[in-house]
Amino acid sequence: MKVFVTGGAGYIGSVCVEELIQAGHSVVVWDNLSEGHRAAVHPQAVFLQGDLLDRDLLGRVMGEQRPEAVIHFAGKALVPESMRDPSLYYRVNVSGGVNLLDAMVAAGCRKIIFSSTCATYGVPEKVPMNEETPQKPINPYGHSKLMFEQILAWYSQIHGIVPTCLRYFNASGASSERGEHHRVETHLIPNVLLAALGQRKEVEIFGTGHATPDGTCIRDYIHVRDLASAHILALDREKAGAFNVGTGQGHSVRGVIEMARKVTQKEICISEKPARAGDPPALVAAADKLQKELGWKPKHSGLEEILASAWDWHRTHPRGYSD
Ligand code: UFG
């Protein structure tokens, strides 16, 4: 299949492109390189540098490329940043997404797989959360992703778009060639590993008084290769709907740091800080729907394997994609 991948130079997108190409698909990557890296794009993918907000160019390119499906990774995805600059989130994630949909409609492309998030649920009444959990986001990031899910439903009804919304839990880990390199790193696992590498003095623990067993936030960490395989299955099966992509297993911030000490055999210093605004205490997936309807199974998402793969990548790429 010819697949148009927005954000294909980013962390999750670039690993998915690698797996799409291995599965025999032909891939066009559209990325503005604001977060992504040219070097992360698989050499067999066509790379086009462009911005979702450039509506005319996007329309023209989609008309020339005529893909059979779109996988839409591009977007702003940081909870704390969204609490400081909501406008950015609504412009890129909502307006940019509408530009993409309009270009698809004009080019006669119907199938879209969208990177949604468990942040659309807000603070769930109970965990694990399934897809019926009420979506009540508590930050503009989650809200912008929920808005786009709702826009997709209308484009489905009016224009016959077939949307699959994959609600990611916490993407983590690395493939042998591609890993997590953000220009400003805010995520827990890379920060912990940068501390193990000596590139950070310590790991800050945001919030130690949450209503969780050890007081730190609990997240469901999913290996980026398992996330990628969910996209490949969604593409093959043409299944519309919303699906959680997580493991059902939660790990606290302290638990992640402990495992990182074991995997890296390095000293990792910590400092305790106040909780971050907009951070729910616990997010854990019930992902039975994806397993039942698409036959997906996480194969690499044990916390030890996640950290070992990320550590291999960080050790061998100490400057990320900059070296
Ligand atoms: N944390 C720390 N110290 C750090 C970084 C993070 O204690 O240096 C804590 C956070 O407060 C949070 C947890 O570790 O409790 C995980 O934080 P991340 O920043 O790694 O991830 P988030 O859960 O905030 O968000 C990520 C993605 C979102 C996605 C979400 C799903 O950035 O795009 O996972 O839960 F939607």
Side-chain angles (χ1 to χ4, degrees):
M1 216 183 274
K2 182 170 185 180
V3 190
F4 190 87
V5 180
T6 75
Y11 166 45
I12 306 173
S14 65
V15 174
C16 191
V17 167
E18 179 181 323
E19 303 236 347
L20 282 166
I21 286 172
Q22 278 163 13
H25 296 288
S26 99
V27 177
V28 178
V29 167
W30 171 268
D31 198 301
N32 67 3
L33 299 185
S34 62
E35 292 291 341
H37 303 271
R38 181 65 184 88
V41 179
H42 193 287
Q44 283 171 39
V46 173
F47 176 72
L48 302 172
Q49 186 167 352
D51 198 303
L52 288 175
L53 294 176
D54 191 341
R55 190 176 162 85
D56 293 341
L57 181 62
L58 184 55
R60 220 166 38 243
V61 165
M62 190 76 76
E64 283 161 15
Q65 294 292 334
R66 302 257 152 201
E68 293 158 87
V70 168
I71 305 186
H72 180 31
F73 294 101
K76 305 306 290 181
L78 298 177
V79 171
E81 182 183 55
S82 80
M83 295 294 284
R84 292 192 300 271
D85 188 1
S87 161
L88 182 63
Y89 280 70
Y90 294 112
R91 277 181 284 139
V92 176
N93 294 355
V94 181
S95 306
V98 169
N99 290 343
L100 178 67
L101 288 179
D102 290 343
M104 286 176 63
V105 170
C109 175
R110 290 167 53 252
K111 172 81 195 147
I112 181 168
I113 300 170
F114 168 54
S115 303
S116 188
T117 167
C118 62
T120 58
Y121 296 118
V123 181
E125 271 159 31
K126 59 179 174 57
V127 290
M129 318 113 85
N130 64 19
E131 292 79 359
E132 305 309 315
T133 302
Q135 290 178 289
K136 295 185 202 157
I138 59 163
N139 48 61
Y141 163 57
H143 184 226
S144 67
K145 289 281 184 175
L146 173 59
M147 286 174 76
F148 194 64
E149 283 197 9
Q150 292 166 337
I151 291 167
L152 280 169
W154 285 109
Y155 271 69
S156 168
Q157 191 173 314
I158 297 163
H159 292 300
I161 291 283
V162 182
T164 308
C165 296
L166 297 180
R167 295 182 187 148
Y168 306 166
F169 284 65
N170 286 56
S172 45
S175 74
S176 55
E177 290 177 52
R178 292 176 178 81
E180 189 163 8
H181 174 194
H182 298 106
R183 289 182 179 87
V184 177
E185 191 52 79
T186 63
H187 294 93
L188 178 64
I189 289 180
N191 276 343
V192 169
L193 297 178
L194 292 173
L197 275 175
Q199 295 186 18
R200 291 181 71 97
K201 189 164 87 22
E202 60 193 15
V203 181
E204 296 174 321
I205 299 183
F206 297 127
T208 52
H210 288 286
T212 60
D214 70 13
T216 66
C217 283
I218 291 178
R219 294 289 182 272
D220 183 337
Y221 294 91
I222 172 92
H223 197 293
V224 65
R225 289 177 59 202
D226 287 332
L227 259 184
S229 77
H231 293 76
I232 311 257
L233 285 169
L235 193 65
D236 291 347
R237 307 276 170 90
E238 269 240 357
K239 188 112 191 158
F243 299 88
N244 286 343
V245 196
T247 66
Q249 184 82 38
H251 299 281
S252 71
V253 173
R254 288 192 203 282
V256 168
I257 295 169
E258 252 341 291
M259 182 60 85
R261 287 183 177 128
K262 177 177 166 202
V263 165
T264 63
Q265 296 290 305
K266 302 274 184 196
E267 196 185 331
I268 299 172
C269 300
I270 56 168
S271 68
E272 298 186 359
K273 299 282 173 191
R276 269 185 346 197
D279 256 358
L283 296 170
V284 179
D288 317 33
K289 186 179 172 195
L290 187 63
Q291 305 206 6
K292 220 176 286 155
E293 295 191 19
L294 289 177
W296 173 83
K297 264 205 172 59
K299 294 193 182 126
H300 306 285
S301 293
L303 187 60
E304 188 162 358
E305 182 171 349
I306 286 176
L307 281 163
S309 68
W311 178 235
D312 274 347
W313 194 80
H314 280 281
R315 260 189 320 120
T316 51
H317 300 77
R319 288 165 21 85
Y321 289 107
S322 320
D323 42 15

